[in-house]
Each structure stands twice: as C-alpha cells, then as structure tokens.
Amino acid sequence: MAQKSINNGNAKRIIFISGDQHWGEIMAKKMPAHDVFGDSQILYEVTASGIDQNYPYDNYNSNRVRIRSADNQDDGIFLNECKFPFNYNGNTYTDCTMTTKRAWCATNTDENDNYIGSWGYCASPTAELVPKENISFSNKYTCFNYLHICSAESNYGGISVDWVNKKITLAVFTPHDKDDTVAASISIDF
C-alpha cells in the first residue's frame, strides 16, 4: 500500500520508524514494479530502541543502507558492504579500486584497515539506494555495517524534515556520547 500511495500522488516518500531491536540501523528497500501497486519505489526505515542497552553483535540485514555495496559471490547480488579505507599492496583505498578487470573492494579488514582476504565486486554508484554523499556516520559504535549501530550504551532513531530545502534526514542518535550524538544518518530529497 505504501508503494501505491506514492504512485497515486498521496505521498512523496514513505518512511517507517520502529524499535525493539536493541540496536539502531537505517534501511532502504526498492519495491519492484507491480501490476496493482504501480512503478518501483524506494521505502525507508530507521529503527532503534537500545535505551541503556548495549547489543554488540552483528545482525545481518540485506535492506540496511550501505556506503558501497559489494557482491562477494559474483552472482549479481550485492548484499555486502565495502570497508573503507582499506590497505592493499601498499596502497590505501577510500573507494572501489580497478586493480582487476572490475571494480572491487575489501568487505572485511583488520583493526589497521588491512585487507584480509574478504572482498567483493562493487555495485555501480548509481545502483545504491542512497548516494554515498547523502550518508554520514561516526564509525564509533558500528558493527559490521556503517549504518548498524550496536555497541553504543544507548541509541534512538529520529526523523527531521527540512521543508524549505525538501530534504528528510533519518538518524540514529547515541545520547550518552556528548561529543558525537549522531551515530549515523542519511538524507533524501522529496
């Protein structure tokens, strides 16, 4: 119904806010075109509810927004996230590299950002549901993905709307960190 509401002109964007996960994350899902619901649309969600709970475990979610997506099986399914920066053969990379016939990135690094054998082919930047320049994160409380906040003392989600500039910001906040209260955020146009 959310997709149909956008296609019928009843909404510009549909954003869900939810909780009860004990961690925070920002998600986007592209709904495919459908005979009843209409053209393909992107739906967004921010979820967080780790109030005074620390849940430092990785939980896989294919809808979590990624800085840059990677296909580590060479099957055309881009479910992993590139880790930037990463060090490889004496070079430091902050984006996908073309040291092979296709752009690739590290999908796991050690504590010094060194490539440790886990990699994937990069999705085209135009295939990402949220452009890299519209994503920010502190990298302080993240687990496996940059927009998966799991090791903060507490977190909560929020949405702000800039009506003048027609931008919506979805964020995960970490209120116990007085210096860096926004752990991750995305902005989208409407």
Side-chain angles (χ1 to χ4, degrees):
M1 295 312 272
Q3 180 177 353
K4 188 172 184 177
S5 291
I6 295 170
N7 285 320
N8 287 347
N10 297 322
K12 297 269 187 194
R13 295 277 187 249
I14 303 286
I15 299 167
F16 299 91
I17 187 162
S18 60
D20 200 31
Q21 297 265 37
H22 307 297
W23 65 82
E25 62 188 340
I26 300 173
M27 296 166 279
K29 180 171 178 71
K30 187 172 189 173
M31 302 302 292
H34 188 275
D35 292 343
V36 174
F37 303 120
D39 294 339
S40 177
Q41 296 292 339
I42 300 172
L43 305 179
Y44 301 90
E45 180 176 0
V46 59
T47 183
S49 68
I51 303 300
D52 291 323
Q53 295 183 36
N54 183 343
Y55 193 83
Y57 306 102
D58 184 38
N59 292 300
Y60 178 76
N61 183 338
S62 64
N63 295 323
R64 193 174 293 131
V65 172
R66 294 178 288 276
I67 299 296
R68 192 76 186 269
S69 299
D71 167 13
N72 70 341
Q73 302 291 319
D74 197 18
D75 59 6
I77 301 172
F78 296 86
L79 297 178
N80 294 288
E81 182 167 44
C82 296
K83 298 298 175 196
F84 299 121
F86 70 93
N87 304 314
Y88 176 71
N89 282 348
N91 296 305
T92 299
Y93 298 94
T94 58
D95 205 342
C96 297
T97 180
M98 288 291 292
T99 59
T100 63
K101 62 182 177 172
R102 290 170 53 192
W104 70 278
C105 66
T107 56
N108 200 4
T109 57
D110 66 14
E111 64 277 355
N112 297 313
D113 298 326
N114 294 310
Y115 164 75
I116 55 174
S118 178
W119 65 278
Y121 290 118
C122 297
S124 164
T126 59
E128 299 296 346
L129 298 182
V130 178
K132 186 177 180 179
E133 60 271 12
N134 291 5
I135 299 171
S136 67
F137 58 93
S138 70
N139 210 19
K140 217 184 234 185
Y141 302 109
T142 59
C143 271
F144 194 69
N145 294 82
Y146 295 116
L147 282 92
H148 178 204
I149 311 307
C150 66
S151 62
E153 184 177 344
S154 64
N155 63 72
Y156 65 92
I159 298 171
S160 63
V161 180
D162 180 342
W163 297 102
V164 174
N165 295 309
K166 296 188 176 188
K167 288 215 180 276
I168 301 169
T169 301
L170 286 70
V172 175
F173 299 94
T174 51
H176 285 90
D177 187 337
K178 301 299 181 209
D179 298 324
D180 197 6
T181 59
V182 179
S185 70
I186 66 167
S187 64
I188 54 176
D189 297 323
F190 70 94

